[in-house]
């Protein structure tokens, strides 16, 4: 019989975890659990408590997955943050294979999955394998745009320039939205790292991406997946069929599945509809697993998890002049803000006012503090101005909204993500080989 994964108490899952570090290591460095968070009353204590879990990162990170797969395929690709694909493959427990399928299920956090695993017989079977019974970490912020760039390039938001749902466009001085690249730089101006797909293709290895027709030419696809051959598939039967067709030839197939995230945002991850979306995903992946050529390496990951927003813990920054003092623009998302300051504002002063107001419910860092902690990984010069001078993450069911710029719907999403909690940052990396 397999291992049963115990669901930790929810208050632990929605509390802050230590900052996740980038690299090829499998051991957590002592510094990551001994970070000083001077000036943020209460959070030092909460970090110590959550550190009794297992802090993860290094090789156990979303950025490691594709480099590890390239090693499994016998064509190891290194990246700006990962120099040892073989070590990553070993840490993640991947065998070698002539063909691999990597599936990214948007919004299917490790603990969201464990909690609702009754809806997912195929994935439940995989979780019983002890090698799969542990989460890996996604990037910070724990959100789609940042994670897609991190995943596709095997690097980090500090290098891809994809650091939030919205962020400053330094060329226009305005906020850009990076799901559709509204008001944003062109994808190749913003995201300058090679993708793992293009590096594989350059070595003569097949690299195929299966996804919705509407995303085939999207800027987000261009930024994070360029170099792969995009195969359009919209209905579940077509997704299964196109994926299996691509696997007839050795190489890499990547499949992106969106609905778990979409249903989570609109109806909440604890609802019946989310369970239904998970069932559909499980059904498709189970079919693919049963019909894929023998020896196909299947790896199933996610970009982030989700927490339920508590309406009683919603803070509207537009109603809080003390918080807005010195703040010119706000980027990010409800669980993770980036504050862009007026020229005459001091980041330390702004951070102090937010800490005073939010106490133990927020993890607040000036940009200098965030860089020193490696929050975004290494940061390139062209990305630095895109990162807010102060970042604010919230725990529990808190959200930070802005009624001066956001719609009522956007301010009251039932489930959200972006912050540095286990629920949001811990994702599955399930490996299936037969
Ligand atoms: Zn997502």
């Amino acid at each position: 019989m397999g291992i049963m994964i115990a669901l930790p108490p929810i208050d632990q899952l929605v509390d802050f975890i230590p900052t996740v570090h980038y690299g090829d290591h499998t051991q957590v460095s002592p510094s990551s659990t001994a970070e000083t968070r001077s000036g943020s009353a209460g959070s030092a204590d909460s970090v110590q408590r959550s550190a009794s879990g297992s802090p993860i990162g290094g090789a156990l990170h979303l950025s490691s997955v594709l480099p590890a797969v390239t090693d499994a395929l016998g064509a190891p690709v290194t990246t700006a943050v990962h120099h040892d694909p073989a070590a990553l493959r070993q840490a993640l427990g991947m065998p070698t294979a002539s063909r691999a399928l990597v599936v990214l299920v948007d919004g299917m956090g490790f603990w969201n999955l464990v909690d609702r695993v009754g809806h997912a017989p195929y994935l439940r079977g995989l979780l019983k394998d002890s090698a799969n019974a542990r989460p890996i970490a996604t990037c910070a912020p724990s959100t789609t745009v940042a994670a897609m760039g991190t995943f596709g390039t095997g690097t980090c938001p500090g290098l891809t320039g994809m650091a939030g749902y919205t962020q400053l466009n330094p060329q226009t001085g305005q906020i850009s939205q990076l799901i559709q690249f509204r008001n944003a730089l062109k994808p190749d101006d913003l995201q300058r790292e090679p993708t793992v797909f293009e590096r594989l293709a350059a070595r003569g290895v097949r690299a195929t991406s299966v996804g919705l027709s509407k995303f085939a030419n999207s800027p987000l696809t261009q930024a994070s997946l360029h170099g792969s051959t995009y195969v359009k598939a919209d209905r579940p039967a077509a997704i299964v069929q196109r994926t299996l067709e691509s696997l007839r030839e050795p190489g890499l197939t990547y499949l992106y599945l969106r609905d778990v995230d979409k249903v989570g945002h609109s109806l909440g991850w604890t609802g019946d509809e989310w369970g239904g979306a998970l069932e559909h995903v499980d059904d498709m992946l189970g079919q693919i697993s049963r019909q894929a050529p023998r020896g196909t390496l299947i790896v199933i990951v996610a970009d982030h998890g989700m927490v339920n927003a508590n309406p009683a813990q919603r803070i509207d920054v537009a109603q809080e002049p003390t918080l807005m003092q010195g703040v010119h623009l706000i980027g990010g998302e409800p669980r993770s803000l980036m504050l862009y300051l007026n020229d005459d504002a001091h980041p330390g002063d702004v951070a102090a006012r937010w800490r005073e107001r939010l106490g133990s419910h927020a993890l607040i860092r000036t940009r200098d503090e965030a860089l020193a902690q490696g929050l975004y990984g290494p940061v390139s010069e062209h990305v630095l101005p895109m990162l807010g001078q102060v970042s604010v993450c919230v725990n529990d069911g808190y959200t930070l909204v802005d009624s001066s710029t956001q719609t009522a719907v956007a301010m009251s999403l039932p489930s959200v993500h972006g912050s540095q909690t286990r629920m949001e940052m811990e994702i599955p990396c399930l490996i299936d080989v037969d």
Side-chain angles (χ1 to χ4, degrees), residues 106-107 144 261 303-304 417:
D106 201 320
T144 306
D261 182 76
D303 53 347
H304 54 76
H417 53 80

Side-chain angles (χ1 to χ4, degrees), residues 3 7 18 22 36 106 156 167 193 225 304 306 319 353 355 357-358 399 415:
I3 294 173
L7 196 70
Y22 288 86
T36 49
D106 201 320
C156 57
Q167 67 185 36
E193 293 298 309
L225 302 178
H304 54 76
M306 277 197 176
Q319 309 287 329
R353 286 192 288 271
R355 283 177 184 137
R357 167 69 177 84
L358 296 170
T399 51
S415 292

